[in-house]
Coordinates of all heavy atoms in Angstrom, one line a residue:
K1 N 18.8 -10.3 -36.6 CA 20.0 -11.1 -36.5 C 20.7 -10.9 -35.2 O 21.2 -11.9 -34.6 CB 20.9 -10.7 -37.7 CG 20.5 -11.2 -39.0 CD 21.5 -10.7 -40.1 CE 21.0 -11.2 -41.5 NZ 21.9 -10.7 -42.5
S2 N 20.8 -9.7 -34.7 CA 21.4 -9.5 -33.4 C 20.6 -10.1 -32.3 O 21.2 -10.7 -31.3 CB 21.5 -8.0 -33.1 OG 20.3 -7.4 -33.0
M3 N 19.3 -10.1 -32.4 CA 18.4 -10.7 -31.4 C 18.6 -12.3 -31.4 O 18.7 -12.9 -30.4 CB 17.0 -10.4 -31.6 CG 16.6 -8.9 -31.4 SD 16.8 -8.4 -29.7 CE 15.4 -9.2 -28.9
S4 N 18.7 -12.8 -32.6 CA 18.9 -14.2 -32.8 C 20.2 -14.7 -32.3 O 20.4 -15.9 -32.0 CB 18.7 -14.7 -34.2 OG 19.7 -14.1 -35.0
G5 N 21.2 -13.8 -32.1 CA 22.5 -14.2 -31.6 C 22.6 -14.3 -30.1 O 23.6 -14.6 -29.6
L6 N 21.5 -13.9 -29.4 CA 21.5 -14.0 -28.0 C 21.4 -15.5 -27.5 O 20.8 -16.3 -28.2 CB 20.2 -13.3 -27.4 CG 20.2 -11.8 -27.6 CD1 18.9 -11.2 -27.1 CD2 21.4 -11.1 -26.9
S7 N 22.0 -15.7 -26.4 CA 21.9 -17.1 -25.8 C 22.0 -17.0 -24.3 O 22.5 -16.0 -23.7 CB 23.1 -17.9 -26.4 OG 24.3 -17.4 -25.9
L8 N 21.5 -18.0 -23.7 CA 21.5 -18.1 -22.2 C 22.3 -19.4 -21.8 O 21.7 -20.5 -22.1 CB 20.1 -18.1 -21.6 CG 20.0 -18.1 -20.1 CD1 20.6 -16.9 -19.5 CD2 18.5 -18.2 -19.7
P9 N 23.5 -19.3 -21.3 CA 24.3 -20.5 -21.0 C 23.5 -21.4 -20.1 O 22.8 -21.0 -19.2 CB 25.5 -19.9 -20.3 CG 25.6 -18.5 -20.8 CD 24.2 -18.0 -20.9
M10 N 23.7 -22.7 -20.4 CA 22.9 -23.7 -19.6 C 23.3 -23.8 -18.2 O 22.5 -24.0 -17.3 CB 23.2 -25.1 -20.3 CG 22.4 -25.3 -21.6 SD 20.6 -25.0 -21.5 CE 20.2 -26.3 -20.3
D11 N 24.6 -23.5 -17.9 CA 25.1 -23.6 -16.5 C 24.4 -22.4 -15.7 O 24.0 -22.6 -14.5 CB 26.6 -23.5 -16.4 CG 27.2 -22.3 -17.0 OD1 26.5 -21.7 -17.9 OD2 28.3 -21.9 -16.6
A12 N 24.3 -21.3 -16.4 CA 23.6 -20.1 -15.7 C 22.2 -20.4 -15.5 O 21.6 -20.1 -14.4 CB 23.8 -18.9 -16.5
M13 N 21.5 -21.1 -16.5 CA 20.1 -21.4 -16.4 C 19.9 -22.4 -15.2 O 18.9 -22.3 -14.4 CB 19.6 -22.0 -17.7 CG 18.1 -22.1 -17.7 SD 17.2 -20.6 -17.6 CE 15.5 -21.1 -17.6
S14 N 20.8 -23.4 -15.1 CA 20.6 -24.4 -14.1 C 20.8 -23.8 -12.7 O 20.1 -24.1 -11.8 CB 21.7 -25.5 -14.3 OG 21.5 -26.1 -15.5
R15 N 21.8 -22.9 -12.6 CA 22.0 -22.2 -11.3 C 20.8 -21.4 -10.9 O 20.4 -21.4 -9.8 CB 23.2 -21.4 -11.4 CG 23.6 -20.7 -10.1 CD 25.0 -20.0 -10.2 NE 25.0 -19.0 -11.2 CZ 25.6 -19.1 -12.4 NH1 26.2 -20.2 -12.7 NH2 25.6 -18.1 -13.2
L16 N 20.2 -20.6 -11.9 CA 19.1 -19.8 -11.6 C 17.9 -20.7 -11.2 O 17.1 -20.3 -10.3 CB 18.7 -19.0 -12.8 CG 19.6 -17.8 -13.1 CD1 19.3 -17.2 -14.5 CD2 19.6 -16.7 -12.0
Q17 N 17.7 -21.8 -11.8 CA 16.6 -22.7 -11.5 C 16.7 -23.2 -10.1 O 15.7 -23.2 -9.3 CB 16.5 -23.8 -12.5 CG 16.0 -23.4 -13.9 CD 16.0 -24.6 -14.8 OE1 16.9 -25.5 -14.7 NE2 15.2 -24.6 -15.8
A18 N 17.9 -23.6 -9.7 CA 18.2 -24.1 -8.4 C 17.9 -23.1 -7.3 O 17.3 -23.3 -6.3 CB 19.6 -24.7 -8.3
D19 N 18.4 -21.9 -7.6 CA 18.2 -20.7 -6.7 C 16.8 -20.4 -6.5 O 16.3 -20.1 -5.4 CB 19.0 -19.5 -7.1 CG 20.5 -19.7 -7.0 OD1 20.9 -20.6 -6.3 OD2 21.2 -18.9 -7.6
Y20 N 16.0 -20.5 -7.6 CA 14.6 -20.1 -7.6 C 13.8 -21.1 -6.7 O 13.0 -20.7 -5.9 CB 14.1 -20.1 -9.0 CG 12.6 -19.7 -9.1 CD1 12.2 -18.4 -9.1 CD2 11.6 -20.7 -9.1 CE1 10.8 -18.1 -9.2 CE2 10.3 -20.4 -9.1 CZ 9.9 -19.1 -9.2 OH 8.5 -18.7 -9.2
V21 N 14.1 -22.4 -6.9 CA 13.4 -23.4 -6.2 C 13.7 -23.3 -4.7 O 12.8 -23.4 -3.8 CB 13.8 -24.8 -6.7 CG1 13.2 -25.9 -5.7 CG2 13.3 -25.0 -8.1
S22 N 15.0 -23.0 -4.4 CA 15.4 -22.9 -3.0 C 14.7 -21.7 -2.3 O 14.2 -21.8 -1.2 CB 16.9 -22.7 -2.9 OG 17.3 -22.5 -1.6
Q23 N 14.7 -20.5 -3.0 CA 14.1 -19.3 -2.4 C 12.6 -19.4 -2.4 O 12.0 -19.0 -1.4 CB 14.5 -18.1 -3.3 CG 15.9 -17.7 -3.3 CD 16.3 -16.6 -4.2 OE1 15.7 -15.5 -4.0 NE2 17.1 -16.8 -5.1
A24 N 12.0 -20.1 -3.3 CA 10.5 -20.3 -3.3 C 10.1 -21.2 -2.1 O 9.1 -20.9 -1.4 CB 10.0 -20.9 -4.6
A25 N 10.9 -22.2 -1.9 CA 10.6 -23.1 -0.7 C 10.8 -22.4 0.6 O 9.9 -22.5 1.5 CB 11.5 -24.3 -0.8
Q26 N 11.8 -21.6 0.7 CA 12.1 -20.8 1.9 C 10.9 -19.8 2.1 O 10.5 -19.6 3.3 CB 13.4 -20.1 1.8 CG 13.8 -19.3 3.1 CD 14.1 -20.3 4.2 OE1 14.8 -21.3 4.1 NE2 13.5 -20.0 5.4
M27 N 10.5 -19.1 1.1 CA 9.4 -18.1 1.2 C 8.1 -18.8 1.6 O 7.4 -18.3 2.5 CB 9.2 -17.5 -0.2 CG 8.1 -16.5 -0.2 SD 7.7 -16.0 -1.9 CE 7.0 -17.5 -2.6
W28 N 7.8 -20.0 1.1 CA 6.6 -20.7 1.4 C 6.7 -21.1 2.9 O 5.7 -20.9 3.6 CB 6.4 -21.9 0.5 CG 5.2 -22.7 0.9 CD1 5.3 -23.9 1.6 CD2 3.9 -22.4 0.7 NE1 4.0 -24.4 1.8 CE2 3.1 -23.5 1.2 CE3 3.2 -21.4 0.1 CZ2 1.7 -23.5 1.2 CZ3 1.8 -21.4 0.0 CH2 1.1 -22.4 0.6
N29 N 7.8 -21.6 3.3 CA 7.9 -22.1 4.7 C 7.8 -21.0 5.7 O 7.2 -21.1 6.7 CB 9.3 -22.8 4.9 CG 9.3 -24.2 4.2 OD1 8.3 -24.8 4.0 ND2 10.5 -24.6 3.8
D30 N 8.5 -19.8 5.4 CA 8.4 -18.7 6.3 C 7.0 -18.2 6.4 O 6.5 -17.8 7.5 CB 9.3 -17.6 5.8 CG 10.8 -17.9 5.9 OD1 11.1 -18.9 6.6 OD2 11.6 -17.2 5.3
S31 N 6.3 -18.1 5.3 CA 4.9 -17.6 5.3 C 4.0 -18.5 6.0 O 3.1 -18.1 6.7 CB 4.4 -17.4 3.8 OG 5.2 -16.4 3.2
L32 N 4.2 -19.8 5.8 CA 3.3 -20.8 6.5 C 3.5 -20.7 8.0 O 2.5 -20.8 8.8 CB 3.6 -22.2 6.0 CG 2.7 -23.3 6.4 CD1 1.3 -23.0 6.0 CD2 3.2 -24.7 5.9
T33 N 4.8 -20.6 8.4 CA 5.1 -20.5 9.8 C 4.4 -19.3 10.5 O 3.8 -19.3 11.5 CB 6.6 -20.5 10.1 OG1 7.2 -21.7 9.5 CG2 6.9 -20.4 11.6
R34 N 4.6 -18.2 9.8 CA 4.0 -16.9 10.3 C 2.5 -17.0 10.3 O 1.9 -16.5 11.3 CB 4.5 -15.8 9.4 CG 3.9 -14.4 9.7 CD 4.5 -13.8 10.9 NE 3.8 -12.5 11.3 CZ 4.3 -11.4 10.8 NH1 5.3 -11.3 10.0 NH2 3.7 -10.2 11.2
F35 N 1.9 -17.6 9.3 CA 0.4 -17.6 9.2 C -0.1 -18.5 10.3 O -1.2 -18.2 10.9 CB 0.0 -18.2 7.8 CG -1.5 -18.2 7.7 CD1 -2.2 -17.1 7.5 CD2 -2.2 -19.4 7.7 CE1 -3.6 -17.1 7.3 CE2 -3.5 -19.5 7.5 CZ -4.3 -18.3 7.3
Q36 N 0.6 -19.6 10.6 CA 0.1 -20.5 11.7 C 0.2 -19.9 13.0 O -0.5 -20.2 13.9 CB 0.9 -21.8 11.6 CG 0.6 -22.7 10.4 CD 1.6 -23.9 10.3 OE1 2.6 -23.9 10.9 NE2 1.1 -24.9 9.6
K37 N 1.2 -18.9 13.1 CA 1.4 -18.3 14.4 C 0.4 -17.2 14.7 O -0.2 -17.1 15.8 CB 2.8 -17.7 14.4 CG 3.2 -17.0 15.7 CD 4.6 -16.4 15.6 CE 5.0 -15.7 16.9 NZ 6.4 -15.1 16.8
D38 N 0.2 -16.3 13.7 CA -0.7 -15.2 14.0 C -1.7 -14.9 12.9 O -2.4 -13.8 12.9 CB 0.1 -13.9 14.3 CG 1.1 -13.5 13.2 OD1 0.9 -14.0 12.1 OD2 2.0 -12.8 13.5
G39 N -1.8 -15.8 11.9 CA -2.8 -15.6 10.9 C -2.4 -14.5 9.8 O -3.2 -14.1 9.0
K40 N -1.1 -14.1 9.8 CA -0.7 -13.2 8.9 C 0.5 -13.8 8.1 O 1.2 -14.7 8.5 CB -0.2 -11.9 9.6 CG -1.4 -11.2 10.3 CD -0.9 -9.9 10.9 CE -2.0 -9.2 11.7 NZ -1.5 -7.9 12.3
A41 N 0.8 -13.2 6.9 CA 1.9 -13.6 6.1 C 3.1 -12.7 6.4 O 3.0 -11.6 6.9 CB 1.5 -13.5 4.6
A42 N 4.3 -13.2 6.0 CA 5.5 -12.4 6.2 C 5.4 -11.2 5.2 O 5.0 -11.3 4.1 CB 6.7 -13.2 5.9
A43 N 5.8 -10.1 5.7 CA 5.7 -8.8 4.9 C 6.8 -8.8 3.8 O 8.0 -9.2 4.1 CB 5.9 -7.6 5.8

């Protein structure tokens, strides 16, 4: 019953999703730039 009482607010979920997409895109772009430069990924 206590577990079923848990909830994740939609506004928090939306914010986390937006932050995740933004950080994933930044990570991909940084790694791609580094790989094109010297063949290595960002550490």
Side-chain angles (χ1 to χ4, degrees):
K1 285 179 182 177
S2 67
M3 294 294 288
S4 64
L6 294 174
S7 64
L8 184 61
M10 287 304 299
D11 59 337
M13 189 64 182
S14 299
R15 184 172 62 255
L16 287 172
Q17 287 177 332
D19 289 345
Y20 181 87
V21 171
S22 175
Q23 292 179 59
Q26 185 66 46
M27 177 189 70
W28 177 257
N29 290 334
D30 289 346
S31 297
L32 187 60
T33 300
R34 175 73 182 270
F35 182 73
Q36 290 174 338
K37 180 180 179 181
D38 55 19
K40 297 180 180 180

